[in-house]
Amino acid sequence: MCGIVAALTASGNVVPDVISGLKTLEYRGYDSAGISVMTDSGLQVRRKMGKIANLEAELLSNGLPNSVQAVAHTRWATHGVPADRNAHPHTDDTGEVVLVHNGIIENYAELRTWLRGHGHHFQSETDTEVFVNLIAYHLRKLGDLHAAVRAALEQAHGAYGIVCMAATHPGILVVARMDSPLVVGVSENGTYAASDMPALLHLTRDFVILENGESAVLTASGCQLYDAKGSAIERPTQRCDWTPEQAEKGGYPHFMLKEIEEQPDVLARTAFDRFHDSNGDVDFEPEFGLDDAELRYFSRLRFMAMGTSLHSAILGQQMLAKLARLPGETLNASEFLYSPELEEGDALTVIISQSGETADSLRAMREVQRRGGRVLGICNVMGSTLAREADHLILTHCGPEVGVASTKAFFGQLTALYLLAIRIGRARRVLAPSQGRELLNDLRALRPKLDVLFGKESREAVRVAADYLAGVKSCLFLGRGMNFPIALEGALKLKEISYIHAEGYPAGEMKHGPIALIDENFPVIAIATPGRTYDKMISNMEEVRARKGKVIAVAVNGDSKLAAQADFVLPVPEVPELLSPLVNIIPLQQLSYEVALRLGCDIDQPRNLAKSVTVE
Ligand code: F6R
């Protein structure tokens, strides 16, 4: 989806800085890009449909002057087709005010009619062009850019993250946000704004995060923040622990591959500093904000999320039931609004989101809060909306996830949920300290075991299975118990990056319908590692093979009984059943990656998908 980068310094040229920031946001998916700079003779704008490389070519052929002040944007079309004329930045009809905008102005059509009545002309179909003309209208009346932006925002309804500059106000950028992320970065070299922190990590790691309704005036030496009523406010900067290298490919051909391979480190980053070995317990940071007494108060849990995070949620429910003996339910966040309004009472809602900006999940969070309930957010992005608005928070510390298909963030979520289950289990005294210690040790012991999955033998097994799977049109992923959500996640990974149709099912459901699909061209991917579900999974695999279906099995290394029932085996190390999802998902991620590679798909930016889905 759309990305914003802007920069302001006292001297030098910020154009290369904003272009490289824009490139960091390429993963979000976009169809055009543009930049505007302030010059002594006014504003200049360059916009190009397609990749940022097209914009760079345009800058070379149609030179852009050096400037201390620039705003840039990658656009993902909402109003108006992808085209140069619809790309951002947009200017008002005199070319004096320029705007980049993420989000949607819902009443843009009425505003356009109103502005036409006041003599404004439009060249694009975008809501943003209406918005910038509205700012220009107010600027002419009020003479102050911040006041003009605020006046325009009062007339506009919808979601926005904006950066605005005006030829009449050199040395100033005005930014504002409502339901669309916007951060301000500060350093001794300048002041910056972006829709996402990774876009500015090459310039600063100190950020001021805007809340809904707030605006700010940026100068080269800092920023003045204003609340929704327009009163000046102060807020300390927050330091981001992500590094610029984490947001780069680091020699890998794709972010997705890099992120799959980072998972052993994610385990360490998400978990190990939180171990409280002497008590067999977990120490979350202060933002968790729930002590033992409060944790004992809750008698049921509700998990909500979307997509991959929803699969974590299902597993979280299972882990919490097992280790903390707390009953729970899992809901697709987009459906919660339609659920009957029952008493929240002593329920705790856990909302899981990598980005912390998923509109459906945020809406569900606010609805729980409106109904009087409390929300614990599990999130990867410090300062995101979920991180700021949830009543309680666990950050997953995975580092920035750039590949659109979520991998390491899923792994970090499962790790955090396992820790949460121990924490609540200990608080409720259903886990003794010795049991807590054992569970922590199991997690610690997992790290070296994960290395096997990145060894030669495992990689080769994945490649052989991928050679076969790349030739099929459709397939089924089966798992039971804790590996049913892994079947769902394996199927989602395959379909989103290779476009092969795949469905995940509880294996027990196969005979109730999907078995009709099985023939020699319809394979099944079965997750059949040791545990309570092992024998039943073997029976299901036999049933598939009896109908000539091919079986790709995720199985423990050296399990010959299972290998006899499979055409391909993806070997995994043996681990406690509760941790098997963290291991079993990895070869399935690798399999999807290898299949998509064979099919020549755009792995990091699959068609039609966006990294964070900020509309419902
Ligand atoms: C799939 C994927 C999506 C996201 C979903 C929720 O690989 O990435 O299904 O999991 O859009 O996103 P977050 O976790 O940011 O709320």
Side-chain angles (χ1 to χ4, degrees), residues 30 46-47 118 200 310 336 447 488 492 532 596:
Y30 65 101
R46 303 282 187 278
R47 305 182 292 184
H118 287 81
L200 299 180
L310 182 61
F336 180 62
R447 187 168 180 190
L488 294 177
L492 179 61
R532 283 172 308 157

Side-chain angles (χ1 to χ4, degrees), residues 306-309 352-358 361 401 404-406 413 489 492-493 496 610-613:
M306 300 301 290
T308 289
S309 299
I352 306 170
S353 170
Q354 184 286 128
S355 61
E357 299 296 349
T358 298
S361 304
E401 186 178 70
V404 164
S406 186
Q413 290 165 352
E489 177 57 11
L492 179 61
K493 285 288 90 73
E496 66 184 338
K611 183 64 188 162
S612 79
V613 183

Side-chain angles (χ1 to χ4, degrees), residues 157 186 262 280 287 380 425 537:
H157 310 146
V186 290
E262 279 174 356
E287 61 266 19
N380 190 38
M537 283 305 301

